[in-house]
Amino acid sequence: MTWTPVALADPVPQGWRKGGGQTRELLAWPAATGWRVRMSVADVTAAGPFSRFDGRERWFAVLDGAGVDLQVGAEQHRLTTASAAFRFDGAAGVACTPVEGSTRDFNLMAAPGRAHLRRARGALGVTPAAGSLVAAYAHSRAARVSLDDGDLEVPAFHFAWRLQEGSGRGSIVGDDALWMEARP
């Protein structure tokens, strides 16, 4: 099965509509407009609100920097590079404040209950379902994805995705990597 690789440096950074950062879109599937799954890396440079995405669930993971404080409705969450990926309603009002300087963060958006994002620090077992969209992101160090039909080396600062034909079993091994699955 063929993977589609994307280097983090390839997408042109896009400034946020509300200011405070920029985004590099790694994947908008099936198309840039009308997407059902979107994955991106954002650089947060100033405090401010997140854009709303009604009808979407968002997953968020800090990749670099001291972290962020997210105010989601009435709840406050401090997220760092050590935190598990954080899930929240895309329609919620969210205010983001970098803890100390800018951060780099990974974002996954999809219909509620249709996707998840997990950190891989060491070996993480994965069992992707047939027809799911699967992806791996290696941040500061390379990662290795091993599935029933073969292995994939993901270099540092690279992303790779594919549609899973049959159900699978395997792992992602890396010290600074992410694994995503979505049921489009």
Side-chain angles (χ1 to χ4, degrees), residues 140-152:
S140 63
R141 292 180 283 288
R144 182 172 217 49
V145 176
S146 298
L147 293 173
D148 296 329
D149 60 350
D151 294 346
L152 171 72

Side-chain angles (χ1 to χ4, degrees), residues 8 13-14 16 19-24 41-46 64 102-107 139:
L8 181 60
Q14 301 169 356
W16 292 355
Q22 61 183 13
T23 297
R24 293 175 189 270
V41 171
D43 292 308
V44 179
T45 56
D64 281 328
S102 62
T103 67
R104 179 165 277 174
D105 311 297
F106 195 95
N107 295 280
H139 190 56

Side-chain angles (χ1 to χ4, degrees), residues 55-165:
R56 299 285 185 242
E57 182 174 76
R58 296 180 72 164
W59 289 82
F60 181 92
V62 176
L63 300 170
D64 281 328
V68 297
D69 287 325
L70 288 187
Q71 181 78 33
V72 183
E75 296 182 14
Q76 180 88 11
H77 304 273
R78 176 156 290 182
L79 304 174
T80 68
T81 56
S83 302
F86 180 68
R87 178 180 54 152
F88 60 97
D89 183 347
V94 177
C96 178
T97 304
V99 174
E100 283 181 25
S102 62
T103 67
R104 179 165 277 174
D105 311 297
F106 195 95
N107 295 280
L108 163 62
M109 291 184 268
R114 306 287 296 171
H116 67 266
L117 166 64
R118 295 187 290 164
R119 285 193 188 273
R121 291 209 170 100
L124 173 69
V126 297
T127 54
S132 63
L133 186 153
V134 298
Y137 175 72
H139 190 56
S140 63
R141 292 180 283 288
R144 182 172 217 49
V145 176
S146 298
L147 293 173
D148 296 329
D149 60 350
D151 294 346
L152 171 72
E153 183 79 18
V154 183
F157 304 107
H158 281 72
F159 172 81
W161 70 275
R162 75 179 197 182
L163 292 175
Q164 182 72 26
E165 283 184 6

